[in-house]
Amino acid sequence: MKRRSLPVAAALAASAALLLTACGGGDDKSSDNDKIAGADQGSESPSKTAEASKGSSSEESDGVDVSLPSDVKLVFDWDKPKNANEAAAMDDAANFFRAIYRGVDKHTTKDPAVTAYATGGGMKYAKTQIEAWNEGGWTATGTLRHYDVSTRSSENGTSVEVAFCADASKFYGKEVKTGKVLTTEPSAEDFDHYKIIMTKYPTAERLWQASKVFVETKAAQCQ
């Protein structure tokens, strides 16, 4: 197992009941007519700062600081959909991942960014990820690229599935105490496919929270 992947692998193992890891085959496939899993998932209350209007900067969204260290780059190579709700949900799916790695950097699951962009199963996933990195004594460094995105809305318009690939071949763990970067050779373990169920927070105009996270590891469609 790759050293860089250990924090993620530990999180997946610890939250097996929360994550759906596809194992090839067609069980993970869904048509546009399928109901979105978790579409009726409620939202927990975000912090007061999360209810502020959305800012123009990717580092200051919904009044919440989602900035990351200069050596951590989360790249989102995707085009916005025309549907306004889907575009907003996509933005906040990106902020959900920024919030996770901000929590990793700050060594806390209680950063306002985490509480703003995650709820339910999404919150459990974020906490498990952050705790696994922290317990291992790692922080993150490098570039994590997200691409091949697609979106689809629930019938009632309150949930959006944001699906995409992630390439972590240039994204590594770094020992907090020593600063040593745990570099690795690229492999199939670097590619994951995500389906994030984003749920609209009812009292904020554009705030969407990750309520469920489904992951396919070593995803062939992303390589």
Side-chain angles (χ1 to χ4, degrees):
M1 182 176 292
K2 301 174 69 175
R3 287 296 301 274
R4 181 200 51 76
S5 301
L6 278 174
V8 177
L12 291 173
S15 59
L18 308 175
L19 304 179
L20 171 65
T21 302
C23 300
D27 293 342
D28 189 50
K29 295 181 180 179
S30 56
S31 69
D32 290 339
N33 295 323
D34 291 341
K35 290 184 178 179
I36 295 177
D40 58 348
Q41 176 78 33
S43 297
E44 297 174 358
S45 298
S47 61
K48 290 183 179 179
T49 54
E51 297 186 31
S53 60
K54 182 178 287 292
S56 59
S57 171
S58 63
E59 294 188 355
E60 191 72 25
S61 298
D62 300 296
V64 181
D65 187 357
V66 291
S67 61
L68 294 168
S70 60
D71 65 331
V72 177
K73 300 185 185 304
L74 302 190
V75 177
F76 298 91
D77 287 334
W78 52 39
D79 295 324
K80 297 274 187 75
K82 293 181 180 179
N83 181 283
N85 278 348
E86 292 183 3
M90 182 184 291
D91 281 343
D92 285 347
N95 285 329
F96 171 62
F97 276 85
R98 293 185 182 106
I100 289 175
Y101 288 104
R102 181 174 172 82
V104 169
D105 176 62
K106 301 297 183 183
H107 313 298
T108 180
T109 61
K110 297 181 180 180
D111 188 87
V114 177
T115 58
Y117 294 111
T119 186
M123 176 65 76
K124 292 176 182 177
Y125 174 82
K127 286 183 176 180
T128 304
Q129 289 284 325
I130 294 167
E131 289 169 354
W133 282 80
N134 289 342
E135 288 173 5
W138 303 298
T139 187
T141 189
T143 300
L144 180 59
R145 178 173 168 256
H146 308 79
Y147 55 100
D148 286 352
V149 68
S150 65
T151 56
R152 61 188 182 119
S153 301
S154 62
E155 292 181 1
N156 62 12
T158 61
S159 293
V160 173
E161 177 189 273
V162 182
F164 54 91
C165 291
D167 175 4
S169 59
K170 297 181 180 179
F171 197 63
Y172 311 106
K174 181 171 68 173
E175 294 179 352
V176 174
K177 289 184 177 180
T178 66
K180 179 182 178 180
V181 177
L182 308 175
T183 56
T184 57
E185 293 297 324
S187 75
E189 291 185 12
D190 294 318
F191 298 93
D192 297 322
H193 186 263
Y194 289 88
K195 288 185 180 180
I196 312 295
I197 306 303
M198 301 298 296
T199 304
K200 192 178 191 316
Y201 187 72
T203 62
E205 183 179 353
R206 286 180 56 83
L207 177 62
W208 293 74
Q209 297 175 303
S211 63
K212 294 196 179 208
V213 180
F214 302 89
V215 187
E216 177 185 355
T217 60
K218 300 181 183 179
Q221 69 267 41
C222 297
Q223 299 179 36

